[in-house]
Amino acid sequence: TGKRHDFQFDYEVGFDDDGRILGVDMVMMSRCGYSTDYSGPVNDRACLHIDNCYYIPNLKLISHRCKTNTQSATAFRGFGGPQGMFAIESILSEIADTLGKDPLDVRKHNLYRDPAQSGDPQSLTTQYGQTIEDWQGDQVIAQLEVQSKYAERRAAVQAFNASTDPPGLWIVNGTLAIHEVLRVTLQSNNVADNGKAVDYDYMLEAM
């Protein structure tokens, strides 16, 4: 039977001292297997979800759908969306590591934002030119941060990890906030799930 499309992303990213993305140049490659199946719409959706819930003011994206000698890759729940979102989340985590900043702070700096607040008339416009209406993602994340006691948990994790000998060698605690905007309006007329749209926010704690 078919498997989920696995992806490789090669990218260069420019960002400022706050971790705010200025531009991304990415090549996206997926293993489609020996036949086409749903590879077209799955890869299209990965391209459409590359922003997740973040504003990317300058984006160059090339998508390669690779024919291989393996079983055909097909459609799974998410339909390419998770793969695209994984790419931008990985980029933001790497930016945070590079700058030595809290990954949540970097993510909040890059969220879509009301132009009246950001001063950028395009900061609620996706990479494919759609204006986002009724955006509440920043408010949801702010509420989640408080209710989950993110700062308190992160401080406790850092204190515990610093107490190991040597510091950080055995990291058994971690806290991660992941934001996801899942838009499910599929491009192919014969594909199920048309019109469904769900917004998710996750607070994960690994103990």
Side-chain angles (χ1 to χ4, degrees):
T1 59
K3 304 298 182 182
R4 184 184 292 273
H5 289 74
D6 44 314
F7 280 67
Q8 178 174 320
F9 302 92
D10 292 340
Y11 61 85
E12 293 182 344
V13 56
F15 51 91
D16 64 18
D17 291 341
D18 291 323
R20 187 176 291 104
I21 291 176
L22 304 176
V24 176
D25 186 349
M26 179 181 294
V27 177
M28 180 173 68
M29 295 156 282
S30 75
R31 181 188 58 79
C32 299
Y34 71 91
S35 63
T36 303
D37 204 271
Y38 282 118
S39 295
V42 165
N43 281 268
D44 289 348
R45 176 149 298 280
C47 292
L48 296 175
H49 279 266
I50 204 72
D51 59 325
N52 193 10
C53 52
Y54 308 106
Y55 174 51
I56 307 174
N58 300 285
L59 173 65
K60 177 184 177 183
L61 176 61
I62 297 174
S63 171
H64 292 302
R65 295 95 194 269
C66 303
K67 182 178 181 179
T68 66
N69 64 345
T70 58
Q71 79 272 27
S72 180
T74 187
F76 277 66
R77 277 310 232 181
F79 214 88
Q83 292 95 317
M85 291 182 283
F86 184 86
I88 189 62
E89 294 294 343
S90 298
I91 289 173
L92 290 168
S93 292
E94 186 172 358
I95 291 173
D97 288 343
T98 300
L99 295 176
K101 292 184 176 294
D102 185 333
L104 179 57
D105 289 339
V106 171
R107 284 172 165 83
K108 289 193 296 184
H109 279 309
N110 284 283
L111 287 171
Y112 282 114
R113 199 166 299 277
D114 188 333
Q117 297 176 343
S118 68
D120 183 345
Q122 299 299 314
S123 62
L124 269 182
T125 303
T126 68
Q127 72 273 22
Y128 43 88
Q130 180 179 349
T131 300
I132 301 173
E133 299 179 0
D134 195 26
W135 170 252
Q136 300 180 34
D138 50 349
Q139 300 173 43
V140 172
I141 291 167
Q143 180 179 344
L144 177 66
E145 182 179 5
V146 173
Q147 292 182 344
S148 66
K149 300 181 179 179
Y150 173 84
E152 179 182 329
R153 291 183 178 188
R154 179 173 171 80
V157 167
Q158 291 176 323
F160 177 86
N161 290 339
S163 69
T164 61
D165 188 18
L169 179 60
W170 304 104
I171 300 179
V172 297
N173 273 345
T175 302
L176 173 65
I178 299 176
H179 323 304
E180 175 183 333
V181 175
L182 182 57
R183 301 171 292 262
V184 186
T185 305
L186 304 181
Q187 298 79 29
S188 179
N189 290 333
N190 62 341
V191 178
D193 297 341
N194 286 344
K196 294 182 180 178
V198 183
D199 293 348
Y200 296 102
D201 286 283
Y202 298 104
M203 174 62 68
L204 306 180
E205 183 171 22
M207 302 299 291

